[in-house]
Amino acid sequence: MKRREFLRKLGVGSLAAVGMPYIATAQARPVRVALLLPLTGPFAFAGNAAREGFVDAAEYVNEVLGGIGGRRLELIVEDTGYDVARGTAAFNRVLARERPEELLFLYGDSTGLSKALAPEITRLGLPYSATSFANELADPKTYPTIFVFGPTYDDMMEALLRQVRLQRGRARIALVYSNTEFGRDPIPYAKERARALGMEVVHEEVTPPAFTDATPVVLNLRRANPDFVILQGYALSVEPLILRVAREQGLRAQFMGTYYSAELALIQRAGPAAEGFTVTYHNPYWYDTLAPVVEEMRRFRQRKGRDVSYRTTYYMGSLAVIFGLAEAMRRAAQAGRLTRAGVVEHLDKIGDYNAMGLVRSYQFVNHRLPHTKLYRASVREGRFNAITDWVSLA
């Protein structure tokens, strides 16, 4: 698809279509999005990669798409260190500093922080999303302004368990997860659903979110002798280590993971032990030539003099949030409703828009996007390859 053609599909006018920069009027107040990200701490790798995506997407919205109804999109970035107390303090600083008519969206760093902030977010009517795909957050009745830009962790577990059933049927399952809100979130669902599908959950292993010796974990798994091991609640902090030790110890189980394990660094760090690792993932990879957004963002970064080599899954997820949000804001502005309530209203009805292939669509169901694909690691190719088309989880 030619660039001008898919820019027209985005609703971009002729000025943006030829690459003319966005020029803000002096009197126009910015539209601000606050980002509370783990730029330090155990998940700093993901947080910094995500920040890069947010920055690129915001610049693209301003310079190519013409901003938001004549207003410039600005980012406010705070480091949380993946700590709920630090994240809450950052949230309070942002609220004290920013005007409600300018701060129209907040993005949080974790399941724990999201659950802590959810009541206040709801009271303020502040549109919100997060790195989290927690099932509890995808509840428009309780949290009408919170959106999950992907499937929930329960949805991801459902997709993995369906694949297990296709491969083995009455399989033996082990669940290894971190002792965080992130790690624990889908475990009750996974246990209940596995049993309903005729599988046996033979072992649960709860760990810190990061550690340096996986031998005790793998020894426990060997004793349990599972057919499949599902890892949850890590962001490459331990998965490569577990895979390497499992291979050394001769554990024959097939390993699986959810969105935050679906990154090429897992293959690079685990080496041959990563072969066959199966993940859920709902955005295109940077090497996906079928998604127009990849070539468009590669050109954009090249024009800015930035590295155009592989960008991470966390980067792609950030693009998906900003592009979807910007489209809802643009529609709200056209309707004369560029307010917090207007953004929520237009996110709710954004429909089949897919941001140049960043997602299947932004048709939210119970405030989450209930579709994913399954990918399998190929060590020889150094990449994850799709093994399914879109799996519907609505």
Side-chain angles (χ1 to χ4, degrees):
M1 182 185 297
K2 292 183 179 180
R3 183 171 183 268
R4 186 180 298 272
E5 180 182 347
F6 66 68
L7 286 174
R8 277 202 304 272
K9 290 189 175 184
L10 283 172
V12 181
S14 59
L15 186 68
V18 296
M20 294 295 290
Y22 164 80
I23 302 173
T25 58
Q27 69 273 20
R29 287 180 173 175
V31 176
R32 290 198 166 105
V33 173
L35 309 172
L36 312 181
L37 297 176
L39 304 179
T40 57
F43 300 139
F45 171 78
N48 282 283
R51 177 174 61 176
E52 182 184 30
F54 282 121
V55 169
D56 277 2
E59 290 182 359
Y60 188 92
V61 167
N62 289 328
E63 298 172 20
V64 179
L65 304 186
I68 307 293
R71 296 168 64 178
R72 187 173 182 82
L73 181 64
E74 293 185 357
L75 303 179
I76 303 161
V77 182
E78 295 271 354
D79 179 21
T80 66
Y82 200 76
D83 179 85
V84 172
R86 284 181 64 183
T88 301
F91 170 74
N92 289 331
R93 284 196 303 273
V94 169
L95 286 185
R97 191 172 63 224
E98 300 300 325
R99 298 172 180 266
E101 65 271 22
E102 294 179 3
L103 180 63
L104 299 188
F105 195 83
L106 182 77
Y107 189 86
D109 79 340
S110 65
T111 299
L113 180 62
S114 297
K115 290 182 178 181
L117 299 183
E120 184 66 4
I121 291 289
T122 302
R123 185 189 72 79
L124 293 168
L126 180 59
Y128 179 88
S129 190
T131 60
S132 173
F133 299 101
N135 190 66
E136 180 181 320
L137 300 177
D139 180 359
K141 292 182 179 178
T142 305
Y143 303 126
T145 69
I146 296 179
F147 293 82
V148 176
F149 280 75
T152 64
Y153 294 127
D154 282 7
D155 290 331
M156 297 178 199
M157 286 290 181
E158 174 69 23
L160 291 175
L161 291 172
R162 289 184 194 178
Q163 182 65 25
V164 168
R165 184 175 60 175
L166 286 174
Q167 292 183 217
R168 195 172 178 91
R170 301 182 67 84
R172 294 164 58 84
I173 306 291
L175 301 170
V176 179
Y177 54 97
S178 66
N179 58 358
T180 62
E181 293 275 5
F182 168 28
R184 293 187 295 268
D185 186 80
I187 300 306
Y189 178 86
K191 291 193 292 185
E192 178 182 353
R193 186 65 175 140
R195 289 168 184 143
L197 292 172
M199 304 168 192
E200 183 182 3
V201 179
V202 296
H203 183 64
E204 286 183 63
E205 186 84 18
V206 188
T207 77
F211 51 85
T212 57
D213 183 7
T215 303
V217 173
V218 173
L219 289 176
N220 288 338
L221 288 172
R222 285 188 64 187
R223 281 190 285 268
N225 191 30
D227 301 308
F228 294 85
V229 178
I230 300 178
L231 306 180
Q232 166 65 22
Y234 311 102
L236 306 186
S237 55
V238 300
E239 300 100 307
L241 178 62
I242 291 174
L243 292 175
R244 289 199 307 270
V245 175
R247 181 181 174 89
E248 291 167 2
Q249 295 291 325
L251 185 62
R252 295 180 178 274
Q254 181 177 334
F255 282 81
M256 295 178 148
T258 54
Y259 176 86
Y260 283 103
S261 298
E263 175 48 48
L264 294 198
L266 180 140
I267 300 174
Q268 294 158 1
R269 296 175 188 178
E275 185 66 38
F277 189 87
T278 302
V279 294
T280 65
Y281 182 59
H282 51 267
N283 304 124
Y285 280 94
W286 189 250
Y287 50 77
D288 187 349
T289 58
L290 296 180
V293 70
V294 174
E295 185 58 31
E296 177 66 3
M297 293 310 296
R298 186 177 285 116
R299 276 196 295 260
F300 181 74
R301 287 181 63 84
Q302 189 171 40
R303 192 163 68 246
K304 306 281 282 188
R306 295 173 185 165
D307 183 6
V308 297
S309 64
Y310 176 78
R311 302 294 98 188
T312 68
T313 52
Y314 317 126
Y315 172 94
M316 300 303 292
S318 298
L319 293 183
V321 171
I322 292 297
F323 281 136
L325 174 61
E327 176 67 12
M329 287 178 166
R330 185 183 67 82
R331 296 182 188 188
Q334 289 177 340
R337 292 264 294 158
L338 189 49
T339 62
R340 291 176 177 180
V343 172
V344 171
E345 175 189 344
H346 287 275
L347 278 171
D348 264 325
K349 58 185 183 183
I350 195 169
D352 286 337
Y353 174 73
N354 72 2
M356 299 180 281
L358 268 172
V359 294
R360 186 177 186 271
S361 82
Y362 287 95
Q363 183 66 59
F364 287 95
V365 178
N366 291 329
H367 279 202
R368 98 278 196 207
L369 304 177
H371 303 93
T372 194
K373 292 183 181 181
L374 295 183
Y375 290 78
R376 186 166 291 154
S378 168
V379 174
R380 180 181 62 83
E381 297 177 81
R383 60 194 283 174
F384 285 93
N385 294 317
I387 60 172
T388 70
D389 200 343
W390 287 108
V391 178
S392 178
L393 303 158

